[in-house]
Amino acid sequence: MQKVTVMIYFFTSQIPELKAFKVRQRQQIIALALSHLSPMHKITLSVCKLAFLAPLFLGLAYFEGWMLLPWLLLAGVSYPLLTTPLENIFALPHLQTAIKEYKQGC
């Protein structure tokens, strides 16, 4: 039985294959890689995002008035912190293809 390890990258700058690219370039490459996902993987990614974000946004229903403001700010900051690692994990298998496509398009 083979052991599989998955690295969690919170930022695209942490992905070794993308270190040579600038921020906008890395974002475009990740978008290309995500466009190569199969429909089933796209659905799985969306369900995973929903599973992570639903408790956060459901918790916002308990606050009202000015007490809601700090929680909205927290939700706004945590949204990319929760979704970016998931997108990076799903994009990794298609990264080499996306890099080749990006270089051909430039």
Side-chain angles (χ1 to χ4, degrees):
M1 188 169 180
Q2 190 176 14
K3 186 177 180 179
V4 177
T5 58
V6 176
M7 291 294 299
I8 297 176
Y9 299 109
F10 287 96
F11 305 103
T12 56
S13 61
Q14 295 174 323
I15 301 173
E17 293 90 345
L18 297 179
K19 286 199 183 273
F21 297 97
K22 295 180 182 178
V23 175
R24 291 280 183 210
Q25 294 171 328
R26 290 192 302 256
Q27 291 172 342
Q28 290 174 340
I29 292 169
I30 291 293
L32 278 172
L34 291 174
S35 71
H36 289 288
L37 291 178
S38 68
M40 189 56 112
H41 283 113
K42 286 181 183 181
I43 292 170
T44 305
L45 175 60
S46 296
V47 169
C48 288
K49 283 183 182 180
L50 184 63
F52 277 105
L53 294 173
L56 175 70
F57 287 105
L58 286 174
L60 293 175
Y62 291 105
F63 301 100
E64 54 185 54
W66 287 103
M67 287 300 298
L68 182 60
L69 187 61
W71 296 105
L72 283 174
L73 290 172
L74 178 67
V77 169
S78 63
Y79 179 82
L81 291 175
L82 292 173
T83 58
T84 301
L86 284 172
E87 289 176 351
N88 291 342
I89 288 171
F90 276 81
L92 284 176
H94 304 283
L95 206 54
Q96 294 303 325
T97 307
I99 291 171
K100 287 178 188 173
E101 282 183 21
Y102 180 79
K103 286 181 178 178
Q104 288 175 352
C106 287

